[in-house]
Amino acid sequence: MRRKKNLKQLLNLSVLDCTNRNIKVGDLDMPYLTCSAVPDVDYLASYRFPSMYHYTDNTCVEFFDYDSHFDGLHGLWNGIYYGIADIQDYYRKRFETVRLFISPDYSKCGDVPLVENLYRQYKSRIVSNWLTLNTSAVVIPLVSCPLVSYLPFALDGMQDARTVAFSTTGALAEKEQLKILQISVEYAISRLPELREIVVNTTSPDVAKVRQLFKSATAKGIRIEIPLNTLMQRHIALRNGEADGDNE
């Protein structure tokens, strides 16, 4: 009797374990990712430091780091893509008590092919879906856009989200990136009709300045949450000590 082949494994299609349990949206069939909750996030903990995952009752785990720190050979994406049970079990255990996540930030760049950026968005959606399916946590979709021309794809699958996240990393120090961020915010609030909250990742100690970037959202009644994080706390301490702080 011939043994039945596991074609999903042989064809490296274990990602179907996630996509077959979700719907696809837009011309690119991007996996659906929403957040119906409006959580009161008060701290952002780096993925790298599990000891900080419960710094407060409403701590949210984020992946704003070099990709190699969370997307290496033994990273969660490879565990999902190649169907490696041991890797997936490791992350289930690591994240089993996490209450909130921001979608993984697979870095997108303006000087790489569009297909690479789209693939990175796809990876983020798949890993976010896995987190939703394998933990009890709420996953907040991240809006990330390297170029204005990328905007038509940036929100695919988020159409009914009540909460999304943005990051100011890099934008406060570069005029072009700042412009793209501001255009992205305007684009999101005009196309996400259910949006009630934006969670902002920043390391700047000037919270008032960061909040100004989202004033159009505030004018529409959308709540802007700017949680503390380790780097922001460090920069606030430097500023209060009259040291030369960092503006990202």
Side-chain angles (χ1 to χ4, degrees), residues 73-225:
L73 183 61
H74 301 290
L76 180 52
W77 167 254
N78 273 0
I80 298 168
Y81 188 81
Y82 294 108
I84 304 172
D86 287 349
I87 292 179
Q88 294 188 49
D89 288 345
Y90 168 81
Y91 285 101
R92 283 191 193 95
K93 181 68 175 177
R94 180 175 181 136
F95 296 144
E96 65 182 350
T97 60
V98 173
R99 295 183 60 240
L100 297 161
F101 288 102
I102 292 177
S103 294
D105 180 33
Y106 291 93
S107 299
K108 305 181 188 75
C109 304
D111 56 354
V112 302
L114 173 62
V115 67
E116 176 66 26
N117 284 328
L118 292 174
Y119 179 61
R120 290 176 177 227
Q121 176 168 306
Y122 178 71
K123 289 172 66 173
S124 179
R125 297 295 175 82
I126 293 295
V127 173
S128 297
N129 288 166
W130 186 94
L131 291 170
T132 300
L133 292 168
N134 289 272
T135 75
S136 59
V138 170
V139 181
I140 300 170
L142 173 67
V143 181
S144 175
C145 183
L147 295 169
V148 172
S149 60
Y150 184 84
L151 280 172
F153 314 107
L155 303 181
D156 281 358
M158 297 184 189
Q159 66 273 13
D160 57 0
R162 300 187 73 204
T163 303
V164 299
F166 280 85
S167 178
T168 71
T169 300
L172 298 185
E174 297 181 20
K175 288 185 178 180
E176 186 60 31
Q177 289 300 311
L178 179 60
K179 181 179 178 181
I180 292 170
L181 172 63
Q182 292 174 308
I183 292 172
S184 299
V185 172
E186 295 295 329
Y187 189 84
I189 64 177
S190 67
R191 286 166 173 78
L192 299 177
E194 302 300 321
L195 190 60
R196 298 292 180 271
E197 178 181 68
I198 295 174
V199 179
V200 181
N201 171 68
T202 187
T203 63
S204 171
D206 193 344
V207 173
K209 178 180 178 181
V210 173
R211 193 173 293 279
Q212 275 295 105
L213 300 177
F214 298 87
K215 62 183 179 181
S216 57
T218 302
K220 291 193 172 187
I222 297 168
R223 187 170 73 182
I224 307 301
E225 293 276 11

